[in-house]
CSV table of all heavy atoms in Angstrom, one decimal:
chain,number,residue,atom,x,y,z
K,1,SER,N,-109.7,198.5,-92.7
K,1,SER,CA,-108.7,197.4,-92.8
K,1,SER,C,-108.6,196.9,-94.3
K,1,SER,O,-107.6,196.5,-94.7
K,1,SER,CB,-109.2,196.2,-91.9
K,1,SER,OG,-108.5,195.1,-92.0
K,2,ALA,N,-109.6,196.9,-95.0
K,2,ALA,CA,-109.6,196.5,-96.4
K,2,ALA,C,-108.8,197.5,-97.3
K,2,ALA,O,-108.0,197.0,-98.1
K,2,ALA,CB,-111.0,196.4,-97.0
K,3,GLU,N,-108.9,198.8,-97.0
K,3,GLU,CA,-108.1,199.7,-97.7
K,3,GLU,C,-106.6,199.5,-97.5
K,3,GLU,O,-105.8,199.7,-98.3
K,3,GLU,CB,-108.6,201.2,-97.4
K,3,GLU,CG,-109.9,201.5,-98.0
K,3,GLU,CD,-110.5,202.8,-97.5
K,3,GLU,OE1,-109.9,203.4,-96.6
K,3,GLU,OE2,-111.4,203.3,-98.1
K,4,VAL,N,-106.2,199.3,-96.2
K,4,VAL,CA,-104.8,199.0,-95.9
K,4,VAL,C,-104.3,197.8,-96.6
K,4,VAL,O,-103.2,197.8,-97.2
K,4,VAL,CB,-104.7,198.8,-94.4
K,4,VAL,CG1,-103.2,198.4,-94.1
K,4,VAL,CG2,-105.0,200.1,-93.6
K,5,LEU,N,-105.1,196.7,-96.7
K,5,LEU,CA,-104.7,195.5,-97.4
K,5,LEU,C,-104.7,195.7,-98.9
K,5,LEU,O,-103.8,195.1,-99.6
K,5,LEU,CB,-105.6,194.3,-97.0
K,5,LEU,CG,-105.6,193.9,-95.6
K,5,LEU,CD1,-106.7,192.8,-95.3
K,5,LEU,CD2,-104.2,193.3,-95.3
K,6,LEU,N,-105.5,196.5,-99.5
K,6,LEU,CA,-105.5,196.8,-100.9
K,6,LEU,C,-104.3,197.6,-101.4
K,6,LEU,O,-104.2,197.7,-102.6
K,6,LEU,CB,-106.8,197.5,-101.2
K,6,LEU,CG,-108.1,196.5,-101.2
K,6,LEU,CD1,-109.3,197.4,-101.4
K,6,LEU,CD2,-108.0,195.5,-102.3
K,7,ARG,N,-103.6,198.1,-100.4
K,7,ARG,CA,-102.3,198.8,-100.9
K,7,ARG,C,-101.3,197.7,-101.4
K,7,ARG,O,-100.3,198.1,-102.1
K,7,ARG,CB,-101.7,199.7,-99.8
K,7,ARG,CG,-102.6,200.8,-99.3
K,7,ARG,CD,-102.1,201.4,-98.1
K,7,ARG,NE,-103.0,202.3,-97.5
K,7,ARG,CZ,-102.8,202.9,-96.3
K,7,ARG,NH1,-101.8,202.7,-95.6
K,7,ARG,NH2,-103.8,203.8,-95.8
K,8,GLU,N,-101.5,196.5,-101.0
K,8,GLU,CA,-100.5,195.5,-101.3
K,8,GLU,C,-101.0,194.4,-102.2
K,8,GLU,O,-100.4,193.4,-102.6
K,8,GLU,CB,-100.0,194.9,-100.0
K,8,GLU,CG,-99.4,195.8,-99.1
K,8,GLU,CD,-98.9,195.2,-97.8
K,8,GLU,OE1,-99.2,194.0,-97.7
K,8,GLU,OE2,-98.3,195.9,-97.0
K,9,ARG,N,-102.4,194.4,-102.6
K,9,ARG,CA,-102.9,193.3,-103.4
K,9,ARG,C,-104.1,193.9,-104.2
K,9,ARG,O,-104.6,195.1,-103.9
K,9,ARG,CB,-103.3,192.2,-102.5
K,9,ARG,CG,-104.5,192.5,-101.6
K,9,ARG,CD,-104.6,191.5,-100.6
K,9,ARG,NE,-103.6,191.6,-99.5
K,9,ARG,CZ,-103.3,190.6,-98.7
K,9,ARG,NH1,-104.1,189.5,-98.7
K,9,ARG,NH2,-102.5,190.8,-97.7
K,10,SER,N,-104.5,193.1,-105.2
K,10,SER,CA,-105.6,193.6,-106.1
K,10,SER,C,-106.9,193.3,-105.3
K,10,SER,O,-107.0,192.6,-104.2
K,10,SER,CB,-105.6,192.7,-107.3
K,10,SER,OG,-105.7,191.4,-107.1
K,11,LEU,N,-108.0,193.8,-105.8
K,11,LEU,CA,-109.2,193.5,-105.2
K,11,LEU,C,-109.6,192.1,-105.4
K,11,LEU,O,-110.3,191.5,-104.4
K,11,LEU,CB,-110.3,194.4,-106.0
K,11,LEU,CG,-111.8,194.4,-105.5
K,11,LEU,CD1,-111.8,194.7,-104.0
K,11,LEU,CD2,-112.7,195.1,-106.3
K,12,THR,N,-109.3,191.4,-106.4
K,12,THR,CA,-109.6,189.9,-106.6
K,12,THR,C,-108.8,189.2,-105.5
K,12,THR,O,-109.4,188.3,-104.8
K,12,THR,CB,-109.1,189.5,-108.0
K,12,THR,OG1,-109.8,190.3,-109.0
K,12,THR,CG2,-109.5,188.1,-108.2
K,13,SER,N,-107.6,189.5,-105.2
K,13,SER,CA,-106.9,188.9,-104.2
K,13,SER,C,-107.5,189.1,-102.8
K,13,SER,O,-107.5,188.2,-102.0
K,13,SER,CB,-105.3,189.3,-104.3
K,13,SER,OG,-104.8,189.0,-105.4
K,14,TYR,N,-107.9,190.3,-102.6
K,14,TYR,CA,-108.5,190.6,-101.3
K,14,TYR,C,-109.7,189.8,-101.0
K,14,TYR,O,-110.0,189.2,-100.0
K,14,TYR,CB,-108.8,192.1,-101.1
K,14,TYR,CG,-109.6,192.4,-99.9
K,14,TYR,CD1,-109.0,192.5,-98.7
K,14,TYR,CD2,-110.9,192.6,-100.0
K,14,TYR,CE1,-109.7,192.8,-97.6
K,14,TYR,CE2,-111.6,193.0,-98.8
K,14,TYR,CZ,-111.1,193.0,-97.6
K,14,TYR,OH,-111.8,193.2,-96.5
K,15,TYR,N,-110.6,189.7,-102.2
K,15,TYR,CA,-111.8,188.9,-102.0
K,15,TYR,C,-111.5,187.4,-101.8
K,15,TYR,O,-112.0,186.7,-101.0
K,15,TYR,CB,-112.7,189.1,-103.2
K,15,TYR,CG,-113.5,190.4,-103.2
K,15,TYR,CD1,-114.0,191.0,-104.4
K,15,TYR,CD2,-113.9,191.0,-102.0
K,15,TYR,CE1,-114.8,192.1,-104.4
K,15,TYR,CE2,-114.6,192.1,-102.0
K,15,TYR,CZ,-115.1,192.7,-103.2
K,15,TYR,OH,-115.9,193.9,-103.1
K,16,ASP,N,-110.5,186.9,-102.6
K,16,ASP,CA,-110.2,185.5,-102.4
K,16,ASP,C,-109.5,185.2,-101.1
K,16,ASP,O,-109.9,184.1,-100.5
K,16,ASP,CB,-109.3,185.1,-103.6
K,16,ASP,CG,-110.0,184.7,-104.9
K,16,ASP,OD1,-111.2,184.3,-104.7
K,16,ASP,OD2,-109.5,184.9,-106.0
K,17,GLU,N,-108.6,186.0,-100.7
K,17,GLU,CA,-107.7,185.6,-99.5
K,17,GLU,C,-108.3,186.1,-98.2
K,17,GLU,O,-108.0,185.6,-97.2
K,17,GLU,CB,-106.3,186.2,-99.8
K,17,GLU,CG,-105.5,185.7,-101.0
K,17,GLU,CD,-104.4,186.6,-101.3
K,17,GLU,OE1,-104.0,187.4,-100.5
K,17,GLU,OE2,-103.7,186.4,-102.3
K,18,VAL,N,-109.1,187.1,-98.2
K,18,VAL,CA,-109.6,187.7,-97.1
K,18,VAL,C,-111.1,187.6,-96.9
K,18,VAL,O,-111.7,186.9,-95.9
K,18,VAL,CB,-109.2,189.1,-96.9
K,18,VAL,CG1,-109.7,189.7,-95.6
K,18,VAL,CG2,-107.6,189.2,-97.0
K,19,ALA,N,-111.9,188.2,-97.8
K,19,ALA,CA,-113.2,188.3,-97.6
K,19,ALA,C,-114.0,186.9,-97.7
K,19,ALA,O,-114.8,186.6,-96.8
K,19,ALA,CB,-113.9,189.2,-98.8
K,20,LEU,N,-113.6,186.1,-98.7
K,20,LEU,CA,-114.2,184.7,-98.7
K,20,LEU,C,-113.9,183.9,-97.6
K,20,LEU,O,-114.7,183.1,-97.0
K,20,LEU,CB,-113.8,184.1,-100.0
K,20,LEU,CG,-114.6,184.5,-101.4
K,20,LEU,CD1,-114.1,183.6,-102.5
K,20,LEU,CD2,-116.0,184.4,-101.2
K,21,LYS,N,-112.6,184.0,-97.1
K,21,LYS,CA,-112.3,183.2,-95.9
K,21,LYS,C,-113.0,183.8,-94.6
K,21,LYS,O,-113.4,183.0,-93.7
K,21,LYS,CB,-110.8,183.3,-95.7
K,21,LYS,CG,-109.9,182.6,-96.7
K,21,LYS,CD,-108.5,182.6,-96.5
K,21,LYS,CE,-107.8,182.0,-97.6
K,21,LYS,NZ,-108.1,180.5,-97.9
K,22,GLY,N,-113.2,185.0,-94.6
K,22,GLY,CA,-114.0,185.5,-93.4
K,22,GLY,C,-115.5,185.1,-93.5
K,22,GLY,O,-116.1,184.7,-92.5
K,23,LEU,N,-116.0,185.1,-94.7
K,23,LEU,CA,-117.3,184.5,-94.9
K,23,LEU,C,-117.5,183.0,-94.6
K,23,LEU,O,-118.4,182.6,-94.0
K,23,LEU,CB,-117.9,184.8,-96.4
K,23,LEU,CG,-118.2,186.2,-96.7
K,23,LEU,CD1,-118.6,186.3,-98.2
K,23,LEU,CD2,-119.4,186.7,-95.8
K,24,GLN,N,-116.4,182.3,-94.8
K,24,GLN,CA,-116.4,180.9,-94.6
K,24,GLN,C,-116.4,180.7,-93.0
K,24,GLN,O,-117.1,179.7,-92.5
K,24,GLN,CB,-115.1,180.3,-95.1
K,24,GLN,CG,-115.2,180.1,-96.7
K,24,GLN,CD,-114.0,179.5,-97.3
K,24,GLN,OE1,-113.0,179.2,-96.6
K,24,GLN,NE2,-113.7,179.6,-98.5
K,25,LEU,N,-115.7,181.6,-92.3
K,25,LEU,CA,-115.7,181.4,-90.8
K,25,LEU,C,-117.2,181.7,-90.3
K,25,LEU,O,-117.7,180.9,-89.5
K,25,LEU,CB,-114.8,182.5,-90.2
K,25,LEU,CG,-113.3,182.2,-90.5
K,25,LEU,CD1,-112.5,183.4,-89.9
K,25,LEU,CD2,-112.8,180.9,-89.8
K,26,ALA,N,-117.8,182.7,-90.9
K,26,ALA,CA,-119.2,183.0,-90.5
K,26,ALA,C,-120.1,181.9,-90.9
K,26,ALA,O,-121.0,181.4,-90.2
K,26,ALA,CB,-119.7,184.3,-91.1
K,27,ALA,N,-119.9,181.3,-92.1
K,27,ALA,CA,-120.8,180.2,-92.6
K,27,ALA,C,-120.6,178.9,-91.7
K,27,ALA,O,-121.6,178.3,-91.4
K,27,ALA,CB,-120.5,179.8,-93.9
K,28,ASN,N,-119.4,178.7,-91.3
K,28,ASN,CA,-119.2,177.5,-90.3
K,28,ASN,C,-119.9,177.7,-89.0
K,28,ASN,O,-120.4,176.7,-88.6
K,28,ASN,CB,-117.7,177.3,-90.2
K,28,ASN,CG,-116.9,176.9,-91.5
K,28,ASN,OD1,-117.6,176.3,-92.4
K,28,ASN,ND2,-115.7,177.0,-91.5
K,29,ASP,N,-119.8,178.9,-88.5
K,29,ASP,CA,-120.4,179.1,-87.2
K,29,ASP,C,-121.9,179.0,-87.4
K,29,ASP,O,-122.6,178.6,-86.5
K,29,ASP,CB,-120.0,180.5,-86.7
K,29,ASP,CG,-118.5,180.5,-86.1
K,29,ASP,OD1,-118.0,179.3,-86.0
K,29,ASP,OD2,-118.0,181.5,-85.9
K,30,ALA,N,-122.4,179.6,-88.5
K,30,ALA,CA,-123.9,179.5,-88.7
K,30,ALA,C,-124.3,178.1,-88.9
K,30,ALA,O,-125.4,177.7,-88.4
K,30,ALA,CB,-124.2,180.4,-90.0
K,31,GLY,N,-123.5,177.3,-89.6
K,31,GLY,CA,-123.8,175.9,-89.7
K,31,GLY,C,-123.9,175.0,-88.4
K,31,GLY,O,-124.7,174.2,-88.2
K,32,ARG,N,-123.0,175.5,-87.4
K,32,ARG,CA,-122.9,174.9,-86.1
K,32,ARG,C,-124.0,175.4,-85.2
K,32,ARG,O,-124.1,175.0,-84.0
K,32,ARG,CB,-121.5,175.0,-85.5
K,32,ARG,CG,-120.5,174.3,-86.3
K,32,ARG,CD,-119.1,174.4,-85.6
K,32,ARG,NE,-118.6,175.8,-85.4
K,32,ARG,CZ,-118.4,176.3,-84.3
K,32,ARG,NH1,-118.8,175.7,-83.1
K,32,ARG,NH2,-118.0,177.5,-84.2
């Protein structure tokens, strides 16, 4: 999935827009 998204954006954009937001979802669930 990451390789598909990286065809349209830079690695920085992928980390900011996808990876960090996915980690935030996990961190919120871990906090709850």
Side-chain angles (χ1 to χ4, degrees):
S1 176
E3 290 177 345
V4 172
L5 294 173
L6 285 170
R7 298 172 187 170
E8 303 175 354
R9 66 193 75 196
S10 63
L11 182 62
T12 306
S13 299
Y14 172 76
Y15 279 157
D16 277 332
E17 300 168 8
V18 180
L20 281 183
K21 294 185 183 300
L23 284 177
Q24 287 173 12
L25 294 175
N28 293 337
D29 286 348
R32 294 186 297 115

